[in-house]
Amino acid sequence: MAQLTASEVNVLNARFEGRPSLEGEPLAARFAADDVTALNARLEGRPPQEVLKWGLETFHPHIALASSFSVEDVTIIDMLVTLNPAARVFALDTGRLNEETYQVADAIRQRYGITIEFYFPDRAAVERLERAKGLFSFRESLANRHECCGIRKVEPLNRALSGLKAWITGLRREQSVTRTQVGYVELDAAHGNIAKLNPLAAWTSDQVSAYVRENKIPYNKLHDQGYPSIGCAPCTRAIKAGEHPRAGRWWWENPEHKECGLHVGKH
Ligand code: SF4
């Protein structure tokens, strides 16, 4: 399969030149659906590093990885920093993360010498929520759960994405019924039609684990305790043998509801 040519990258760069914020622009002016389809066709079957290389050449410094320090995210950080030590990484500190997540975040920060751009929820919104509904309102209804995720994840994510032209995620197609259609490059309609890169879309969990092992990358120790997918501490549990990898997230809900609002769209 042919790689992207320099002139194709230049054409894409020209589309984004001088557009620090994409908010409010018509879709066709930014990044046509045809571009995305052609890009995905060209990138299909290519290594994740090639997707990241294209993303960095096209968007840096207006591109960043959204990291929850999952095994996928630490894999991407290793690849990103190898390609460009100045590559940007942001993270949402919801205030309810596991200690092990904070530990791996700091281990990654030290190993790669990077600045992790942490975003914290709006203090007043958290105080209002906790005073009105207590500390575990998310267990009471889907609406309450979405309210908590909205305050602790979605609003900080929107702040993190403002000003970016592209973001990178560790989404993989095999992760859940809500993610089977994940593409390498997508137009993120929920976030002002910026580009969303999912370089590990086609990778299996075995491929990710092997990469982490071979490169001795720090990873969240909860993965060794039966947690394939890790979010906030009160909303994540270990899974039993044979259970779906996402079964430990919001385990009291139906599978089709298991997104926190960060990844809204066709998957
Ligand atoms: Fe709140 Fe749970 Fe969502 Fe974290 S995962 S923001 S604790 S509902």
Side-chain angles (χ1 to χ4, degrees), residues 5-39:
T5 65
S7 66
E8 284 169 324
V9 172
N10 288 340
V11 167
L12 283 163
N13 274 318
R15 283 174 189 256
F16 287 91
E17 195 56 47
R19 294 179 185 167
S21 170
L22 301 172
E23 198 71 23
E25 285 189 11
L27 170 67
R30 294 172 218 156
F31 199 20
D34 285 351
D35 295 331
V36 176
T37 304
L39 268 172

Side-chain angles (χ1 to χ4, degrees), residues 93-98 102 130 134-136 138 148 152 231-234:
D93 181 354
T94 67
R96 301 294 292 258
L97 301 178
N98 291 284
Y102 291 116
E130 294 187 348
L135 296 169
F136 294 91
F138 40 80
C148 185
R152 295 184 187 275
C232 291

Side-chain angles (χ1 to χ4, degrees), residues 94 96 138 145 148-149 152-153 231-232 234-235 249-250 260:
T94 67
R96 301 294 292 258
F138 40 80
R145 206 268 283 168
C148 185
C149 283
R152 295 184 187 275
K153 292 182 171 182
C232 291
C235 297
R249 302 291 297 277
W250 307 294
C260 50

